[in-house]
Amino acid sequence: MNDAMPAPESADGASAGEPAGATPAPESVEPVAPQETHEPAEAAPLGVGREPTGHPGVDAHLARLGAVDHLPADGHLEVYEDVHRGLRAELTSLDAHPAPRPNENRS
């Protein structure tokens, strides 16, 4: 039987799957009002592990991500942006050419 269609009623008003003479469940049940709270939830660690990369600069920035476990959600953005800037700087430094030394001959 299709769940979208109600079961046909018998002559005594019972649905096809119910025994004759069964009383239908009451439809007037008082709804439970949700409890309104306007307080933010306590900060809870996400439990995401951070594995060391072997690059000290990158590992230092990634370690900062552990600080967000103790901050409310509205404080996460500042830390994430700071870590992102630091990681971009680390990646950019990998592309930078080292400056030639004073006595280095490049011929």
mmCIF file of all heavy atoms in Angstrom, residues 31-88:
data_model
loop_
_atom_site.group_PDB
_atom_site.id
_atom_site.type_symbol
_atom_site.label_atom_id
_atom_site.label_comp_id
_atom_site.label_asym_id
_atom_site.label_seq_id
_atom_site.Cartn_x
_atom_site.Cartn_y
_atom_site.Cartn_z
ATOM 1 N N PRO A 31 0.619 20.448 21.861
ATOM 2 C CA PRO A 31 2.022 20.501 21.425
ATOM 3 C C PRO A 31 2.923 20.966 22.564
ATOM 4 O O PRO A 31 2.522 21.765 23.408
ATOM 5 C CB PRO A 31 2.016 21.511 20.282
ATOM 6 C CG PRO A 31 0.805 22.348 20.521
ATOM 7 C CD PRO A 31 -0.193 21.469 21.232
ATOM 8 N N VAL A 32 4.102 20.430 22.601
ATOM 9 C CA VAL A 32 5.077 20.811 23.618
ATOM 10 C C VAL A 32 5.849 22.008 23.086
ATOM 11 O O VAL A 32 6.439 21.945 22.006
ATOM 12 C CB VAL A 32 6.029 19.641 23.931
ATOM 13 C CG1 VAL A 32 7.080 20.069 24.929
ATOM 14 C CG2 VAL A 32 5.245 18.453 24.413
ATOM 15 N N ALA A 33 5.827 23.085 23.820
ATOM 16 C CA ALA A 33 6.532 24.295 23.403
ATOM 17 C C ALA A 33 8.033 24.096 23.598
ATOM 18 O O ALA A 33 8.468 23.627 24.656
ATOM 19 C CB ALA A 33 6.055 25.494 24.205
ATOM 20 N N PRO A 34 8.838 24.428 22.580
ATOM 21 C CA PRO A 34 10.290 24.291 22.754
ATOM 22 C C PRO A 34 10.789 25.302 23.778
ATOM 23 O O PRO A 34 10.272 26.411 23.891
ATOM 24 C CB PRO A 34 10.853 24.594 21.370
ATOM 25 C CG PRO A 34 9.788 25.379 20.675
ATOM 26 C CD PRO A 34 8.478 24.957 21.284
ATOM 27 N N GLN A 35 11.783 24.892 24.536
ATOM 28 C CA GLN A 35 12.355 25.796 25.525
ATOM 29 C C GLN A 35 13.260 26.785 24.811
ATOM 30 O O GLN A 35 14.164 26.385 24.075
ATOM 31 C CB GLN A 35 13.148 25.016 26.554
ATOM 32 C CG GLN A 35 12.289 24.095 27.381
ATOM 33 C CD GLN A 35 13.136 23.323 28.374
ATOM 34 O OE1 GLN A 35 14.355 23.388 28.356
ATOM 35 N NE2 GLN A 35 12.478 22.584 29.229
ATOM 36 N N GLU A 36 12.988 28.041 25.008
ATOM 37 C CA GLU A 36 13.792 29.068 24.358
ATOM 38 C C GLU A 36 14.978 29.423 25.236
ATOM 39 O O GLU A 36 14.814 29.783 26.395
ATOM 40 C CB GLU A 36 12.951 30.302 24.091
ATOM 41 C CG GLU A 36 11.892 30.078 23.041
ATOM 42 C CD GLU A 36 11.203 31.367 22.657
ATOM 43 O OE1 GLU A 36 11.850 32.427 22.703
ATOM 44 O OE2 GLU A 36 10.013 31.303 22.341
ATOM 45 N N THR A 37 16.142 29.282 24.672
ATOM 46 C CA THR A 37 17.354 29.709 25.364
ATOM 47 C C THR A 37 18.113 30.631 24.434
ATOM 48 O O THR A 37 18.234 30.355 23.240
ATOM 49 C CB THR A 37 18.250 28.519 25.748
ATOM 50 O OG1 THR A 37 18.589 27.816 24.560
ATOM 51 C CG2 THR A 37 17.551 27.578 26.709
ATOM 52 N N HIS A 38 18.570 31.709 24.966
ATOM 53 C CA HIS A 38 19.306 32.679 24.175
ATOM 54 C C HIS A 38 20.776 32.698 24.547
ATOM 55 O O HIS A 38 21.517 33.563 24.105
ATOM 56 C CB HIS A 38 18.691 34.068 24.345
ATOM 57 C CG HIS A 38 17.270 34.128 23.867
ATOM 58 N ND1 HIS A 38 16.944 34.123 22.540
ATOM 59 C CD2 HIS A 38 16.091 34.162 24.539
ATOM 60 C CE1 HIS A 38 15.637 34.174 22.408
ATOM 61 N NE2 HIS A 38 15.087 34.191 23.609
ATOM 62 N N GLU A 39 21.175 31.762 25.358
ATOM 63 C CA GLU A 39 22.568 31.667 25.761
ATOM 64 C C GLU A 39 23.328 30.798 24.756
ATOM 65 O O GLU A 39 22.827 29.764 24.340
ATOM 66 C CB GLU A 39 22.685 31.049 27.160
ATOM 67 C CG GLU A 39 22.035 31.861 28.255
ATOM 68 C CD GLU A 39 22.689 33.228 28.419
ATOM 69 O OE1 GLU A 39 23.924 33.315 28.342
ATOM 70 O OE2 GLU A 39 21.946 34.199 28.612
ATOM 71 N N PRO A 40 24.536 31.215 24.367
ATOM 72 C CA PRO A 40 25.315 30.358 23.456
ATOM 73 C C PRO A 40 25.763 29.094 24.163
ATOM 74 O O PRO A 40 25.941 29.064 25.375
ATOM 75 C CB PRO A 40 26.511 31.229 23.071
ATOM 76 C CG PRO A 40 26.607 32.246 24.147
ATOM 77 C CD PRO A 40 25.213 32.442 24.701
ATOM 78 N N ALA A 41 25.917 28.054 23.390
ATOM 79 C CA ALA A 41 26.379 26.784 23.941
ATOM 80 C C ALA A 41 27.837 26.914 24.355
ATOM 81 O O ALA A 41 28.586 27.746 23.840
ATOM 82 C CB ALA A 41 26.229 25.682 22.902
ATOM 83 N N GLU A 42 28.238 26.106 25.306
ATOM 84 C CA GLU A 42 29.624 26.107 25.756
ATOM 85 C C GLU A 42 30.533 25.620 24.631
ATOM 86 O O GLU A 42 30.138 24.818 23.795
ATOM 87 C CB GLU A 42 29.770 25.182 26.961
ATOM 88 C CG GLU A 42 29.037 25.657 28.202
ATOM 89 C CD GLU A 42 29.656 26.917 28.778
ATOM 90 O OE1 GLU A 42 30.891 27.047 28.786
ATOM 91 O OE2 GLU A 42 28.885 27.783 29.230
ATOM 92 N N ALA A 43 31.755 26.116 24.632
ATOM 93 C CA ALA A 43 32.728 25.672 23.644
ATOM 94 C C ALA A 43 33.063 24.206 23.890
ATOM 95 O O ALA A 43 33.243 23.787 25.023
ATOM 96 C CB ALA A 43 34.000 26.520 23.730
ATOM 97 N N ALA A 44 33.102 23.436 22.815
ATOM 98 C CA ALA A 44 33.405 22.011 22.929
ATOM 99 C C ALA A 44 34.447 21.650 21.878
ATOM 100 O O ALA A 44 34.337 22.068 20.725
ATOM 101 C CB ALA A 44 32.143 21.188 22.719
ATOM 102 N N PRO A 45 35.474 20.917 22.249
ATOM 103 C CA PRO A 45 36.496 20.524 21.269
ATOM 104 C C PRO A 45 35.890 19.660 20.170
ATOM 105 O O PRO A 45 34.998 18.857 20.404
ATOM 106 C CB PRO A 45 37.510 19.719 22.074
ATOM 107 C CG PRO A 45 37.139 19.865 23.499
ATOM 108 C CD PRO A 45 35.760 20.416 23.574
ATOM 109 N N LEU A 46 36.382 19.863 18.954
ATOM 110 C CA LEU A 46 35.895 19.091 17.824
ATOM 111 C C LEU A 46 36.531 17.716 17.767
ATOM 112 O O LEU A 46 36.009 16.813 17.127
ATOM 113 C CB LEU A 46 36.168 19.832 16.508
ATOM 114 C CG LEU A 46 35.437 21.156 16.348
ATOM 115 C CD1 LEU A 46 35.874 21.835 15.067
ATOM 116 C CD2 LEU A 46 33.943 20.934 16.349
ATOM 117 N N GLY A 47 37.676 17.555 18.407
ATOM 118 C CA GLY A 47 38.334 16.259 18.416
ATOM 119 C C GLY A 47 39.029 15.922 17.113
ATOM 120 O O GLY A 47 39.218 14.758 16.795
ATOM 121 N N VAL A 48 39.383 16.938 16.330
ATOM 122 C CA VAL A 48 40.082 16.711 15.070
ATOM 123 C C VAL A 48 41.579 16.683 15.350
ATOM 124 O O VAL A 48 42.125 17.632 15.908
ATOM 125 C CB VAL A 48 39.753 17.812 14.039
ATOM 126 C CG1 VAL A 48 40.525 17.607 12.756
ATOM 127 C CG2 VAL A 48 38.264 17.848 13.772
ATOM 128 N N GLY A 49 42.211 15.602 14.992
ATOM 129 C CA GLY A 49 43.644 15.470 15.228
ATOM 130 C C GLY A 49 44.464 16.258 14.224
ATOM 131 O O GLY A 49 44.061 16.436 13.078
ATOM 132 N N ARG A 50 45.582 16.760 14.663
ATOM 133 C CA ARG A 50 46.497 17.493 13.788
ATOM 134 C C ARG A 50 47.808 16.727 13.749
ATOM 135 O O ARG A 50 48.452 16.534 14.770
ATOM 136 C CB ARG A 50 46.702 18.914 14.319
ATOM 137 C CG ARG A 50 45.473 19.781 14.136
ATOM 138 C CD ARG A 50 45.620 21.120 14.813
ATOM 139 N NE ARG A 50 45.652 21.031 16.276
ATOM 140 C CZ ARG A 50 44.585 20.885 17.042
ATOM 141 N NH1 ARG A 50 43.411 20.776 16.505
ATOM 142 N NH2 ARG A 50 44.700 20.827 18.339
ATOM 143 N N GLU A 51 48.172 16.269 12.564
ATOM 144 C CA GLU A 51 49.398 15.498 12.417
ATOM 145 C C GLU A 51 50.545 16.437 12.056
ATOM 146 O O GLU A 51 50.377 17.331 11.231
ATOM 147 C CB GLU A 51 49.232 14.459 11.318
ATOM 148 C CG GLU A 51 48.167 13.430 11.642
ATOM 149 C CD GLU A 51 48.016 12.400 10.539
ATOM 150 O OE1 GLU A 51 48.951 12.266 9.723
ATOM 151 O OE2 GLU A 51 46.976 11.757 10.502
ATOM 152 N N PRO A 52 51.717 16.242 12.649
ATOM 153 C CA PRO A 52 52.866 17.088 12.315
ATOM 154 C C PRO A 52 53.278 16.872 10.853
ATOM 155 O O PRO A 52 53.211 15.762 10.331
ATOM 156 C CB PRO A 52 53.963 16.634 13.265
ATOM 157 C CG PRO A 52 53.457 15.431 13.968
ATOM 158 C CD PRO A 52 52.014 15.267 13.676
ATOM 159 N N THR A 53 53.678 17.963 10.220
ATOM 160 C CA THR A 53 54.079 17.899 8.817
ATOM 161 C C THR A 53 55.583 17.720 8.668
ATOM 162 O O THR A 53 56.047 17.357 7.598
ATOM 163 C CB THR A 53 53.672 19.188 8.080
ATOM 164 O OG1 THR A 53 54.375 20.291 8.660
ATOM 165 C CG2 THR A 53 52.175 19.407 8.163
ATOM 166 N N GLY A 54 56.341 18.032 9.710
ATOM 167 C CA GLY A 54 57.790 17.973 9.620
ATOM 168 C C GLY A 54 58.405 19.315 9.257
ATOM 169 O O GLY A 54 59.613 19.490 9.293
ATOM 170 N N HIS A 55 57.579 20.277 8.909
ATOM 171 C CA HIS A 55 58.056 21.634 8.605
ATOM 172 C C HIS A 55 57.699 22.498 9.808
ATOM 173 O O HIS A 55 56.518 22.737 10.089
ATOM 174 C CB HIS A 55 57.366 22.159 7.345
ATOM 175 C CG HIS A 55 57.962 23.421 6.819
ATOM 176 N ND1 HIS A 55 57.688 24.643 7.376
ATOM 177 C CD2 HIS A 55 58.823 23.644 5.804
ATOM 178 C CE1 HIS A 55 58.338 25.578 6.717
ATOM 179 N NE2 HIS A 55 59.045 24.988 5.756
ATOM 180 N N PRO A 56 58.708 22.983 10.552
ATOM 181 C CA PRO A 56 58.427 23.692 11.812
ATOM 182 C C PRO A 56 57.503 24.897 11.664
ATOM 183 O O PRO A 56 56.654 25.127 12.521
ATOM 184 C CB PRO A 56 59.799 24.126 12.313
ATOM 185 C CG PRO A 56 60.792 23.379 11.509
ATOM 186 C CD PRO A 56 60.129 22.888 10.271
ATOM 187 N N GLY A 57 57.655 25.658 10.588
ATOM 188 C CA GLY A 57 56.793 26.836 10.401
ATOM 189 C C GLY A 57 55.340 26.460 10.210
ATOM 190 O O GLY A 57 54.436 27.073 10.781
ATOM 191 N N VAL A 58 55.097 25.438 9.408
ATOM 192 C CA VAL A 58 53.730 24.987 9.150
ATOM 193 C C VAL A 58 53.140 24.376 10.421
ATOM 194 O O VAL A 58 51.993 24.657 10.776
ATOM 195 C CB VAL A 58 53.710 23.967 7.982
ATOM 196 C CG1 VAL A 58 52.334 23.338 7.831
ATOM 197 C CG2 VAL A 58 54.146 24.626 6.687
ATOM 198 N N ASP A 59 53.943 23.567 11.118
ATOM 199 C CA ASP A 59 53.453 22.936 12.342
ATOM 200 C C ASP A 59 53.077 23.976 13.400
ATOM 201 O O ASP A 59 52.095 23.793 14.127
ATOM 202 C CB ASP A 59 54.494 21.964 12.901
ATOM 203 C CG ASP A 59 54.643 20.726 12.033
ATOM 204 O OD1 ASP A 59 53.720 20.434 11.249
ATOM 205 O OD2 ASP A 59 55.687 20.060 12.131
ATOM 206 N N ALA A 60 53.814 25.059 13.470
ATOM 207 C CA ALA A 60 53.500 26.109 14.447
ATOM 208 C C ALA A 60 52.147 26.753 14.130
ATOM 209 O O ALA A 60 51.351 27.018 15.043
ATOM 210 C CB ALA A 60 54.596 27.166 14.456
ATOM 211 N N HIS A 61 51.891 26.990 12.852
ATOM 212 C CA HIS A 61 50.602 27.592 12.472
ATOM 213 C C HIS A 61 49.457 26.607 12.712
ATOM 214 O O HIS A 61 48.399 26.998 13.211
ATOM 215 C CB HIS A 61 50.615 28.037 11.013
ATOM 216 C CG HIS A 61 51.500 29.210 10.767
ATOM 217 N ND1 HIS A 61 51.253 30.456 11.282
ATOM 218 C CD2 HIS A 61 52.644 29.322 10.059
ATOM 219 C CE1 HIS A 61 52.202 31.295 10.911
ATOM 220 N NE2 HIS A 61 53.072 30.625 10.171
ATOM 221 N N LEU A 62 49.667 25.347 12.373
ATOM 222 C CA LEU A 62 48.615 24.356 12.579
ATOM 223 C C LEU A 62 48.330 24.130 14.062
ATOM 224 O O LEU A 62 47.188 23.847 14.438
ATOM 225 C CB LEU A 62 48.989 23.031 11.911
ATOM 226 C CG LEU A 62 49.037 23.059 10.386
ATOM 227 C CD1 LEU A 62 49.458 21.705 9.846
ATOM 228 C CD2 LEU A 62 47.707 23.490 9.798
ATOM 229 N N ALA A 63 49.350 24.276 14.897
ATOM 230 C CA ALA A 63 49.147 24.125 16.344
ATOM 231 C C ALA A 63 48.202 25.196 16.876
ATOM 232 O O ALA A 63 47.485 24.979 17.853
ATOM 233 C CB ALA A 63 50.476 24.174 17.073
ATOM 234 N N ARG A 64 48.188 26.355 16.222
ATOM 235 C CA ARG A 64 47.281 27.438 16.644
ATOM 236 C C ARG A 64 45.827 27.045 16.478
ATOM 237 O O ARG A 64 44.941 27.594 17.136
ATOM 238 C CB ARG A 64 47.513 28.695 15.801
ATOM 239 C CG ARG A 64 48.657 29.482 16.238
ATOM 240 C CD ARG A 64 48.468 30.929 16.624
ATOM 241 N NE ARG A 64 47.240 31.447 17.119
ATOM 242 C CZ ARG A 64 46.598 32.472 16.570
ATOM 243 N NH1 ARG A 64 47.036 33.046 15.494
ATOM 244 N NH2 ARG A 64 45.506 32.932 17.110
ATOM 245 N N LEU A 65 45.546 26.107 15.571
ATOM 246 C CA LEU A 65 44.156 25.692 15.378
ATOM 247 C C LEU A 65 43.581 25.040 16.633
ATOM 248 O O LEU A 65 42.371 25.027 16.819
ATOM 249 C CB LEU A 65 44.043 24.728 14.194
ATOM 250 C CG LEU A 65 44.310 25.338 12.819
ATOM 251 C CD1 LEU A 65 44.275 24.257 11.760
ATOM 252 C CD2 LEU A 65 43.322 26.438 12.507
ATOM 253 N N GLY A 66 44.459 24.519 17.499
ATOM 254 C CA GLY A 66 43.985 23.938 18.752
ATOM 255 C C GLY A 66 43.375 24.973 19.677
ATOM 256 O O GLY A 66 42.600 24.638 20.564
ATOM 257 N N ALA A 67 43.702 26.243 19.463
ATOM 258 C CA ALA A 67 43.162 27.313 20.309
ATOM 259 C C ALA A 67 41.665 27.501 20.104
ATOM 260 O O ALA A 67 40.971 27.958 21.008
ATOM 261 C CB ALA A 67 43.885 28.627 20.029
ATOM 262 N N VAL A 68 41.149 27.144 18.926
ATOM 263 C CA VAL A 68 39.728 27.366 18.677
ATOM 264 C C VAL A 68 38.857 26.405 19.470
ATOM 265 O O VAL A 68 37.671 26.654 19.644
ATOM 266 C CB VAL A 68 39.375 27.279 17.174
ATOM 267 C CG1 VAL A 68 40.100 28.336 16.386
ATOM 268 C CG2 VAL A 68 39.634 25.916 16.624
ATOM 269 N N ASP A 69 39.436 25.317 19.976
ATOM 270 C CA ASP A 69 38.645 24.386 20.777
ATOM 271 C C ASP A 69 38.133 25.025 22.055
ATOM 272 O O ASP A 69 37.150 24.568 22.621
ATOM 273 C CB ASP A 69 39.478 23.149 21.142
ATOM 274 C CG ASP A 69 39.656 22.200 19.972
ATOM 275 O OD1 ASP A 69 38.933 22.352 18.968
ATOM 276 O OD2 ASP A 69 40.518 21.320 20.065
ATOM 277 N N HIS A 70 38.769 26.088 22.505
ATOM 278 C CA HIS A 70 38.386 26.717 23.763
ATOM 279 C C HIS A 70 37.724 28.073 23.551
ATOM 280 O O HIS A 70 37.487 28.793 24.518
ATOM 281 C CB HIS A 70 39.621 26.871 24.660
ATOM 282 C CG HIS A 70 40.351 25.573 24.834
ATOM 283 N ND1 HIS A 70 39.829 24.516 25.539
ATOM 284 C CD2 HIS A 70 41.541 25.141 24.358
ATOM 285 C CE1 HIS A 70 40.668 23.500 25.509
ATOM 286 N NE2 HIS A 70 41.718 23.849 24.800
ATOM 287 N N LEU A 71 37.430 28.408 22.298
ATOM 288 C CA LEU A 71 36.796 29.688 21.990
ATOM 289 C C LEU A 71 35.352 29.469 21.561
ATOM 290 O O LEU A 71 35.027 28.434 20.993
ATOM 291 C CB LEU A 71 37.529 30.377 20.827
ATOM 292 C CG LEU A 71 38.956 30.831 21.074
ATOM 293 C CD1 LEU A 71 39.561 31.357 19.775
ATOM 294 C CD2 LEU A 71 39.005 31.907 22.131
ATOM 295 N N PRO A 72 34.489 30.465 21.806
ATOM 296 C CA PRO A 72 33.142 30.367 21.242
ATOM 297 C C PRO A 72 33.230 30.501 19.719
ATOM 298 O O PRO A 72 34.233 30.960 19.173
ATOM 299 C CB PRO A 72 32.399 31.546 21.874
ATOM 300 C CG PRO A 72 33.452 32.465 22.361
ATOM 301 C CD PRO A 72 34.676 31.651 22.622
ATOM 302 N N ALA A 73 32.195 30.100 19.026
ATOM 303 C CA ALA A 73 32.209 30.060 17.558
ATOM 304 C C ALA A 73 32.543 31.416 16.935
ATOM 305 O O ALA A 73 33.222 31.471 15.910
ATOM 306 C CB ALA A 73 30.867 29.562 17.034
ATOM 307 N N ASP A 74 32.105 32.506 17.535
ATOM 308 C CA ASP A 74 32.382 33.810 16.928
ATOM 309 C C ASP A 74 33.851 34.211 17.043
ATOM 310 O O ASP A 74 34.290 35.154 16.399
ATOM 311 C CB ASP A 74 31.475 34.900 17.490
ATOM 312 C CG ASP A 74 31.608 35.079 18.996
ATOM 313 O OD1 ASP A 74 32.321 34.277 19.630
ATOM 314 O OD2 ASP A 74 30.994 36.011 19.537
ATOM 315 N N GLY A 75 34.641 33.486 17.812
ATOM 316 C CA GLY A 75 36.070 33.765 17.905
ATOM 317 C C GLY A 75 36.911 32.918 16.965
ATOM 318 O O GLY A 75 38.113 33.146 16.814
ATOM 319 N N HIS A 76 36.294 31.956 16.296
ATOM 320 C CA HIS A 76 37.035 31.067 15.401
ATOM 321 C C HIS A 76 37.577 31.789 14.175
ATOM 322 O O HIS A 76 38.693 31.517 13.734
ATOM 323 C CB HIS A 76 36.148 29.922 14.928
ATOM 324 C CG HIS A 76 35.820 28.943 15.998
ATOM 325 N ND1 HIS A 76 35.271 27.718 15.728
ATOM 326 C CD2 HIS A 76 35.933 28.987 17.352
ATOM 327 C CE1 HIS A 76 35.076 27.052 16.846
ATOM 328 N NE2 HIS A 76 35.464 27.816 17.850
ATOM 329 N N LEU A 77 36.801 32.691 13.618
ATOM 330 C CA LEU A 77 37.173 33.330 12.356
ATOM 331 C C LEU A 77 38.527 34.024 12.442
ATOM 332 O O LEU A 77 39.359 33.890 11.534
ATOM 333 C CB LEU A 77 36.088 34.314 11.931
ATOM 334 C CG LEU A 77 36.324 35.005 10.589
ATOM 335 C CD1 LEU A 77 36.369 33.971 9.474
ATOM 336 C CD2 LEU A 77 35.249 36.024 10.333
ATOM 337 N N GLU A 78 38.761 34.752 13.503
ATOM 338 C CA GLU A 78 40.027 35.479 13.651
ATOM 339 C C GLU A 78 41.215 34.508 13.646
ATOM 340 O O GLU A 78 42.230 34.757 12.991
ATOM 341 C CB GLU A 78 40.014 36.296 14.941
ATOM 342 C CG GLU A 78 41.259 37.124 15.140
ATOM 343 C CD GLU A 78 41.201 37.933 16.423
ATOM 344 O OE1 GLU A 78 40.115 38.123 16.979
ATOM 345 O OE2 GLU A 78 42.281 38.372 16.862
ATOM 346 N N VAL A 79 41.092 33.397 14.355
ATOM 347 C CA VAL A 79 42.181 32.416 14.411
ATOM 348 C C VAL A 79 42.362 31.767 13.039
ATOM 349 O O VAL A 79 43.482 31.621 12.551
ATOM 350 C CB VAL A 79 41.910 31.348 15.492
ATOM 351 C CG1 VAL A 79 42.962 30.257 15.459
ATOM 352 C CG2 VAL A 79 41.866 31.991 16.862
ATOM 353 N N TYR A 80 41.256 31.381 12.395
ATOM 354 C CA TYR A 80 41.350 30.744 11.078
ATOM 355 C C TYR A 80 42.023 31.671 10.064
ATOM 356 O O TYR A 80 42.861 31.243 9.275
ATOM 357 C CB TYR A 80 39.976 30.352 10.561
ATOM 358 C CG TYR A 80 39.312 29.223 11.309
ATOM 359 C CD1 TYR A 80 37.928 29.093 11.313
ATOM 360 C CD2 TYR A 80 40.042 28.286 12.015
ATOM 361 C CE1 TYR A 80 37.309 28.063 11.990
ATOM 362 C CE2 TYR A 80 39.435 27.253 12.700
ATOM 363 C CZ TYR A 80 38.065 27.141 12.681
ATOM 364 O OH TYR A 80 37.448 26.121 13.343
ATOM 365 N N GLU A 81 41.648 32.946 10.078
ATOM 366 C CA GLU A 81 42.254 33.889 9.135
ATOM 367 C C GLU A 81 43.740 34.076 9.426
ATOM 368 O O GLU A 81 44.551 34.163 8.498
ATOM 369 C CB GLU A 81 41.521 35.224 9.180
ATOM 370 C CG GLU A 81 40.163 35.170 8.516
ATOM 371 C CD GLU A 81 39.406 36.472 8.610
ATOM 372 O OE1 GLU A 81 39.774 37.342 9.431
ATOM 373 O OE2 GLU A 81 38.435 36.624 7.849
ATOM 374 N N ASP A 82 44.114 34.137 10.697
ATOM 375 C CA ASP A 82 45.510 34.292 11.058
ATOM 376 C C ASP A 82 46.329 33.075 10.621
ATOM 377 O O ASP A 82 47.415 33.216 10.055
ATOM 378 C CB ASP A 82 45.644 34.509 12.569
ATOM 379 C CG ASP A 82 47.077 34.776 12.982
ATOM 380 O OD1 ASP A 82 47.734 35.617 12.338
ATOM 381 O OD2 ASP A 82 47.536 34.130 13.937
ATOM 382 N N VAL A 83 45.807 31.886 10.859
ATOM 383 C CA VAL A 83 46.501 30.659 10.452
ATOM 384 C C VAL A 83 46.601 30.614 8.926
ATOM 385 O O VAL A 83 47.646 30.257 8.372
ATOM 386 C CB VAL A 83 45.779 29.406 11.002
ATOM 387 C CG1 VAL A 83 46.316 28.135 10.382
ATOM 388 C CG2 VAL A 83 45.917 29.360 12.515
ATOM 389 N N HIS A 84 45.549 31.007 8.240
ATOM 390 C CA HIS A 84 45.561 31.008 6.773
ATOM 391 C C HIS A 84 46.640 31.952 6.240
ATOM 392 O O HIS A 84 47.387 31.598 5.328
ATOM 393 C CB HIS A 84 44.180 31.404 6.248
ATOM 394 C CG HIS A 84 44.067 31.344 4.767
ATOM 395 N ND1 HIS A 84 43.954 32.463 3.990
ATOM 396 C CD2 HIS A 84 44.069 30.276 3.924
ATOM 397 C CE1 HIS A 84 43.877 32.096 2.722
ATOM 398 N NE2 HIS A 84 43.948 30.784 2.650
ATOM 399 N N ARG A 85 46.725 33.156 6.821
ATOM 400 C CA ARG A 85 47.775 34.101 6.390
ATOM 401 C C ARG A 85 49.156 33.508 6.632
ATOM 402 O O ARG A 85 50.046 33.611 5.786
ATOM 403 C CB ARG A 85 47.639 35.425 7.158
ATOM 404 C CG ARG A 85 46.624 36.369 6.583
ATOM 405 C CD ARG A 85 46.719 37.750 7.233
ATOM 406 N NE ARG A 85 46.456 37.715 8.674
ATOM 407 C CZ ARG A 85 45.257 37.829 9.215
ATOM 408 N NH1 ARG A 85 44.204 37.982 8.449
ATOM 409 N NH2 ARG A 85 45.104 37.790 10.518
ATOM 410 N N GLY A 86 49.347 32.882 7.793
ATOM 411 C CA GLY A 86 50.648 32.295 8.105
ATOM 412 C C GLY A 86 51.009 31.158 7.165
ATOM 413 O O GLY A 86 52.162 31.056 6.718
ATOM 414 N N LEU A 87 50.048 30.304 6.849
ATOM 415 C CA LEU A 87 50.320 29.202 5.927
ATOM 416 C C LEU A 87 50.604 29.707 4.509
ATOM 417 O O LEU A 87 51.476 29.177 3.816
ATOM 418 C CB LEU A 87 49.147 28.217 5.914
ATOM 419 C CG LEU A 87 48.959 27.413 7.197
ATOM 420 C CD1 LEU A 87 47.674 26.597 7.126
ATOM 421 C CD2 LEU A 87 50.159 26.517 7.460
ATOM 422 N N ARG A 88 49.905 30.746 4.096
ATOM 423 C CA ARG A 88 50.192 31.333 2.771
ATOM 424 C C ARG A 88 51.599 31.915 2.739
ATOM 425 O O ARG A 88 52.316 31.783 1.749
ATOM 426 C CB ARG A 88 49.161 32.412 2.439
ATOM 427 C CG ARG A 88 47.820 31.832 2.042
ATOM 428 C CD ARG A 88 46.898 32.926 1.640
ATOM 429 N NE ARG A 88 47.463 33.606 0.478
ATOM 430 C CZ ARG A 88 46.785 33.931 -0.597
ATOM 431 N NH1 ARG A 88 45.524 33.649 -0.657
ATOM 432 N NH2 ARG A 88 47.356 34.547 -1.592
#
